[in-house]
Amino acid sequence: GPGDAFQDAPAVDPFENVGVFDPDPAKLALFAEPGAGACWLYEPGELEAWFFNRLRHDSFKACLHVAHPGAFRSGCPILYAVREWRLDCMPDAARIRVAACGHLHITLNGHVILHVAAVPRPEPVNLDILPWLRQGDNRFFVRVHSVSAPPTLLMEGQINSDPAWTVSTDACRYGPPHPVACVGTDRFPHEERLPEVELAPISLGNGVWDFGVEVFGRPEAQVRGAGTLAFHPGESEAEARNEDAVHHEQYVTELMPGAGCVVSPVELAMRYLRVAASPGLQVESIRLRASTFPVSYRGSFSSDDPMLDRIWRQAAYTLRLCMREIFVDGIKRDRLPWVGDLYLAGLANAFVFFDAGIMRRSLVALYGADPEGLDFNGIIDYSFFWIMALHDYVMHFGDLEFLARQRPQLERLLRALENRRDHTDMIPSAACRWLFIDWADIDKTGYSACLEFLSIRALTAAAQLFGWLGDQMAAEHWGNIAMRRRDSARSLFWSEEAGAFRDCSGSARIGRHANLLAVLAGVATDGQRKSLVENVLMNQAVPAVGTPYMRSLEVSALAGCGQRAAMLEVVRNYWGGMLRAGATSFWERYNSDAGADDHLAMYNRPYGASLCHAWSTGPVFLLIRELFGLEPLAPGWSRFALQPAGCGLRSIKADVPTPHGTIRLKQDMRELSVEIPAGVVVEHAGRAITGPGRLVCAVA
């Protein structure tokens, strides 16, 4: 049944609940589907921009050492909404109930029927509109103006605010609204916060409370007496014990108790918590108001290898911690949306939580306000990763409607990136404000192989996106460009002498990043793959990648070269190494040769490293996708390929969520059984089997 693969492994997530949303998101519009009735109407993109900027505001308040480059969308203060309809006969009565965020002005058939000032909370107004209705054509025109929050409109009654309305920010260009479910009128949807659940620490040792796992929320102390108190959180015990304010990573201030209780005004990331109370104030108990994304574990993985099971579950929990209204990179630092983290978090989400809403919000929010002038997050590679993240979202969720809405943004971004190329048809590294790739030593002089390979992969994804939209001309255009550049890059960057790809046109340096990206972009031929695996990817003399971000892509490249057993060993050793070092969520950076304190340090700060990072969640999708050789071939998993490889494991079970239902896989020794949901076709060994049904096959 659902979640069978979860039964035997120990829980890591305090809120883990198979098939059930935990905590319950009832009364949260963000987690409710708009129904047939009235909805709150927003201009598309405005709600995402609001959440994005609220996250930035909260992060800058709570995190002491963050910056967030990029030109991002600001909210528009005005919403125009129009509804036209026809009455064949006049009703006996006609009433509406209206609420809005902002100054509200309504005309019906040219008559002003309401003009009220903005209110801090919804205050529905009841109106009798019968005197202004007429037989035949009728027209509502609504204007909502709000400077401090996104303007939104709710109308119930004779006419409901629903997708039949059109909206605009300039009263010229109108289009479909963004409808948000109405679950009550006690607050506006954009005012919602993720639910809080109380957690208790598991132990207290030498003045430091231990919650057992990485957690996020507002600590609360029950106290007696008078004085002041300060919370000192730490992802590690050493960080919590640090008393030097210079080395604090999160905002800490002295607080005064009220009614015997002290609650942190900001959310904090921690496993450990030190509470410093002044003389005269006694701490009686500690709780955490944990802020938690309400979600259900829809995917699962288990095997006869306890380490792999623990890695998968720990990666899933890491992902969940980084789920706010949109994906953030980490919960201690930066607590901000970055496209590189979104790319890997999006893939992991598709294999465990399958939450489409957070992916849509993240993609919309992270789209730059000025892609022509500034890359996403100021990083040129991230502009390409946004295209790949959009592609992967549509491939796994089958959301062609969202893709159609994002088409203008996709086309604008492609034009902006193409305009960056010079007479060589490549982007010179010197012209990039920030060519990141990884926190590692990479030669980027001249023309970067890494950047060119990423761009080829992104253009290949774009060609497929246009094909799904039915635009074969655009699909062929971008596909031909990608193919031409693939051939050119293969010739320019390949070193016959080294049997591998060079970092860039300006040097002979051979590194891992260029070669793993050559595999993923389809640049490397079969012969070249065999050579670069031996000379680079499985050559310990070649310096390692810098982060789990690139390690996930390296693992994927190894699997793509047929080295799935080696891929599995990398997962065991690398992510398993973090667990052996005491991780309860996966880290921003990991070096197995580093000392214990070195794991905590980054950016020349002793506790600067994030010990819970979204780009470290790769095992969630890698273990399932690569062990079973799963490859979706059409949007929404409507068609997928299967090529299992047991890699020495005696048993593996996994559930893969899809829009059609769950694909259930169970390998027992050398036999694999696959339950195929209706509407899905699986291709294996030259056969195509249509669900609902069951496939039994041998494991290679």
Side-chain angles (χ1 to χ4, degrees):
D4 280 348
F6 263 46
Q7 298 306 313
D8 302 324
V12 207
D13 181 350
F15 311 104
E16 185 177 293
N17 207 334
V18 180
V20 176
F21 272 74
D22 191 3
D24 187 353
K27 298 297 182 183
L28 288 177
L30 199 60
F31 298 94
E33 288 296 323
C39 302
W40 291 97
L41 301 184
Y42 290 86
E43 171 72 18
E46 291 300 304
L47 194 58
E48 292 86 350
W50 166 262
F51 286 136
F52 184 92
N53 287 306
R54 189 173 73 181
L55 276 170
R56 297 182 94 199
H57 173 79
D58 291 350
S59 174
F60 293 153
K61 180 179 179 181
C63 305
L64 301 177
H65 300 283
V66 298
H68 197 228
F72 303 110
R73 175 175 175 167
S74 298
C76 184
I78 193 161
L79 172 73
Y80 297 103
V82 171
R83 177 69 160 90
E84 296 176 339
W85 78 103
R86 184 173 180 80
L87 280 175
D88 293 328
C89 58
M90 291 294 290
D92 295 331
R95 302 188 65 82
I96 59 170
R97 183 171 176 257
V98 187
C101 177
H103 303 314
L104 176 61
H105 178 87
I106 303 179
T107 66
L108 174 55
N109 295 327
H111 300 279
V112 176
I113 64 171
L114 184 66
H115 185 92
V116 293
V119 290
R121 292 288 183 271
E123 293 183 4
V125 177
N126 292 300
L127 293 173
D128 180 3
I129 62 171
L130 188 61
W132 296 282
L133 286 179
R134 60 193 180 203
Q135 192 167 345
D137 295 331
N138 290 266
R139 186 177 192 266
F140 265 125
F141 175 79
V142 181
R143 185 185 70 227
V144 185
H145 186 268
S146 172
V147 174
S148 60
T152 183
L153 169 71
L154 176 72
M155 184 181 291
E156 300 174 291
Q158 179 73 23
I159 291 293
N160 287 327
S161 48
D162 58 27
W165 288 66
T166 58
V167 297
S168 172
T169 58
D170 55 21
C172 297
R173 295 163 295 184
Y174 283 85
H178 176 185
V180 177
C182 178
V183 296
T185 55
D186 58 325
R187 60 188 168 187
F188 301 114
H190 55 262
E191 293 179 325
E192 292 180 354
R193 292 279 185 168
L194 297 183
E196 292 183 339
V197 179
E198 266 199 8
L199 285 180
I202 62 171
S203 65
L204 171 64
N206 297 322
V208 174
W209 302 88
D210 180 5
F211 286 89
V213 294
E214 183 94 3
V215 288
F216 183 70
R218 296 184 299 142
E220 172 186 308
Q222 297 295 325
V223 297
R224 279 193 299 127
T228 60
L229 178 149
F231 295 110
H232 295 279
E235 291 190 302
S236 63
E237 186 173 355
E239 184 180 11
R241 292 192 182 281
N242 165 58
E243 296 186 11
D244 187 346
V246 172
H247 299 317
H248 286 167
E249 291 289 326
Q250 300 177 82
Y251 170 79
V252 175
T253 189
E254 289 190 332
L255 304 168
M256 296 284 291
C261 180
V262 181
V263 182
S264 172
V266 296
E267 292 181 308
L268 301 168
M270 70 192 78
R271 172 179 169 176
Y272 300 93
L273 180 68
R274 179 171 60 88
V275 182
S278 64
L281 189 68
Q282 182 178 344
V283 177
E284 295 191 316
S285 65
I286 292 292
R287 291 288 185 274
L288 184 75
R289 297 182 182 181
S291 174
T292 308
F293 192 90
V295 76
S296 167
Y297 281 78
R298 296 182 59 187
S300 63
F301 171 87
S302 68
S303 71
D304 61 302
D305 184 334
M307 175 57 79
L308 291 180
D309 295 359
R310 189 176 166 204
I311 288 170
W312 192 91
R313 296 162 82 87
Q314 213 86 26
Y317 181 54
T318 302
L319 176 68
R320 184 177 187 177
L321 287 170
C322 294
M323 297 169 80
R324 311 311 294 164
E325 290 82 4
I326 54 183
F327 281 114
V328 297
D329 62 337
I331 57 173
K332 179 179 78 174
R333 204 222 75 247
D334 298 327
R335 296 194 205 172
L336 290 167
W338 296 78
V339 177
D341 298 88
L342 168 65
Y343 173 69
L344 288 174
L347 281 168
N349 171 58
F351 278 79
V352 57
F353 300 124
F354 206 68
D355 190 294
I358 193 171
M359 273 303 293
R360 290 194 299 266
R361 291 190 296 273
S362 299
L363 285 162
V364 171
L366 272 162
Y367 188 90
D370 179 24
E372 293 83 3
L374 192 62
D375 293 303
F376 294 0
N377 296 118
I379 301 174
I380 187 166
D381 14 330
Y382 281 16
S383 293
F384 290 115
F385 269 115
W386 186 90
I387 298 172
M388 291 185 274
L390 174 63
H391 170 274
D392 289 343
Y393 168 71
V394 179
M395 178 65 92
H396 290 95
F397 289 85
D399 194 346
L400 296 179
E401 181 181 339
F402 177 77
L403 173 59
R405 293 199 303 271
Q406 295 305 302
R407 176 174 181 155
Q409 285 74 21
L410 173 62
E411 292 175 329
R412 181 183 176 189
L413 177 57
L414 287 168
R415 287 194 301 269
L417 290 169
E418 287 297 292
N419 287 336
R420 306 280 291 278
R421 296 181 180 273
D422 65 10
H423 65 281
T424 67
D425 200 30
M426 291 190 295
I427 302 174
S429 299
C432 303
R433 284 185 175 89
W434 187 0
L435 173 56
F436 171 55
I437 305 301
D438 192 11
W439 293 121
D441 183 19
I442 305 167
D443 198 335
K444 303 172 185 176
T445 55
Y447 298 94
S448 166
C450 293
L451 183 59
E452 189 62 16
F453 296 160
L454 276 176
S455 73
I456 291 167
R457 193 176 182 204
L459 291 183
T460 304
Q464 200 162 30
L465 288 169
F466 285 115
W468 293 338
L469 287 171
D471 189 338
Q472 292 306 314
M473 184 177 295
E476 289 179 13
H477 170 74
W478 294 109
N480 289 336
I481 291 176
M483 188 179 303
R484 184 185 75 239
R485 290 180 182 156
R486 190 178 292 120
D487 294 339
S488 177
R490 185 182 298 127
S491 173
L492 176 63
F493 295 109
W494 178 256
S495 168
E496 197 64 47
E497 180 182 359
F501 289 95
R502 296 176 291 131
D503 274 6
C504 59
S505 64
S507 81
R509 186 183 185 279
I510 304 294
R512 292 182 180 272
H513 299 82
N515 285 279
L516 69 90
L517 291 172
V519 172
L520 297 179
V523 173
T525 64
D526 290 343
Q528 288 172 334
R529 290 184 182 210
K530 182 178 179 181
S531 175
L532 65 83
V533 163
E534 180 181 345
N535 294 318
V536 181
L537 297 184
M538 295 182 67
N539 182 356
Q540 298 305 311
V542 178
V545 298
T547 58
Y549 168 50
M550 277 293 147
R551 187 56 64 100
S552 290
L553 300 186
E554 183 181 28
V555 165
S556 185
L558 277 171
C561 292
Q563 302 294 324
R564 287 195 264 183
M567 171 273 298
L568 202 58
E569 280 308 298
V570 172
V571 173
R572 283 193 184 101
N573 294 332
Y574 190 76
W575 280 272
M578 283 188 257
L579 294 181
R580 286 186 288 271
T584 60
S585 55
F586 288 127
W587 305 340
E588 178 180 14
R589 189 179 66 175
Y590 173 63
N591 179 357
S592 59
D593 297 327
D597 291 341
D598 295 330
H599 294 317
L600 311 180
M602 203 168 176
Y603 309 109
N604 296 315
R605 302 195 304 273
Y607 309 109
S610 163
L611 301 190
C612 174
H613 224 69
W615 75 16
S616 304
T617 58
V620 172
F621 68 90
L622 289 168
L623 285 173
I624 298 176
R625 189 181 74 182
E626 307 304 356
L627 283 175
F628 291 106
L630 295 177
E631 182 185 1
L633 303 174
W637 288 94
S638 58
R639 195 173 193 93
F640 73 95
L642 175 73
Q643 191 179 358
C647 298
L649 295 171
R650 293 187 303 276
S651 66
I652 317 172
K653 291 189 289 186
D655 289 347
V656 179
T658 80
H660 306 279
T662 302
I663 300 170
R664 304 194 189 283
L665 305 109
K666 182 177 181 181
Q667 177 195 322
D668 188 7
M669 301 302 288
R670 310 300 295 177
E671 183 178 89
L672 173 66
S673 170
V674 185
E675 291 183 28
I676 312 162
V680 174
V681 178
V682 59
E683 296 182 5
H684 172 70
R687 293 186 298 162
I689 300 174
T690 303
R694 186 165 172 262
L695 166 68
V696 178
C697 63
V699 177

